[in-house]
Amino acid sequence: MTMLELKDIHTYYGNIHALKGISLRVEPGEVVTLLGSNGAGKTTILRSIQGLLRPRQGTIRFENKALEILPAQAIVRLGISQSPEGRLIFPRMTVKENLEMGAFSRRDTLGIKTDTERALTLFPRLRERINQKGGTLSGGEQQMLAIARALMARPRLLLLDEPSMGLAPMLVTQIFSIIQDINNQGTTILLVEQNARMALTVAHRGYVLQTGQIVLTGTAKDLQSNEIVRKAYLGET
């Protein structure tokens, strides 16, 4: 069964037609990446999936359940969580408290303890700073915390929005290595990322967006060799 399927999604910001008939799918176990310039509609797709924006037309199904009629908190409980663009951690809360917030909808104390340990194993820097306030962390550490917090919901589908934004190259490599580890451990991932080169190294498939429409799709290997992608997104001539 397809894990996530969007069919003919039209989403608006007021009178601005942001998504114009988006159709895509994500299969269990995949990393699927959305590529495109600023304003192409990548984040709007994630917000539509998460229930933060309501499409005016089209359907969004997760494991054959309709998402477009559900509130955001119910969508999290179904097994979808997001690490948002800009991280949006709670700066006055400690690392531990931020992780606990990621598990707010859960009641399985033992499972939460297990998943906290998993998150701290994936991100050893967070273990070292477990009692430090989120706002005092470096940019890279805050990004790690945002991803770890999203994992605390125990998602089957993880939405990642620009995880490399503003990070030094060495940290970008580290973050993408961890993303690959998360996927290898069984979590399906829908990845929005401007660093197309890194995104295509971890993704199985991808979609290229321009002004709210999908203009190209294919396997990561096919997109890496596509002339349009190479010139527009990989910086090659």
Side-chain angles (χ1 to χ4, degrees), residues 12-14 18 46 63-64 70-71 73 76 100 104-105 134 141 149 160 173 188 190 201-202 229:
Y12 291 73
Y13 291 99
L46 298 192
E63 296 177 338
N64 215 27
L70 296 178
Q73 65 269 25
V76 173
E100 289 170 349
F104 80 97
S105 65
E141 290 162 353
R149 181 182 62 187
L160 295 177
T173 301
T188 304
L190 181 58
T201 63
V202 300
V229 174

Side-chain angles (χ1 to χ4, degrees), residues 18-68:
L19 299 181
K20 306 167 185 175
I22 294 292
S23 295
L24 61 83
R25 62 182 173 82
V26 180
E27 303 293 344
E30 284 190 312
V31 178
V32 175
T33 188
L34 305 178
L35 305 178
S37 59
N38 281 334
K42 306 183 302 296
T43 294
T44 304
I45 289 176
L46 298 192
R47 289 174 63 83
S48 298
I49 294 167
Q50 196 71 59
L52 302 174
L53 286 172
R54 292 291 179 204
R56 293 190 191 175
Q57 182 180 324
T59 60
I60 304 174
R61 293 195 169 271
F62 175 69
E63 296 177 338
N64 215 27
K65 298 180 183 71
L67 299 188
E68 69 274 7

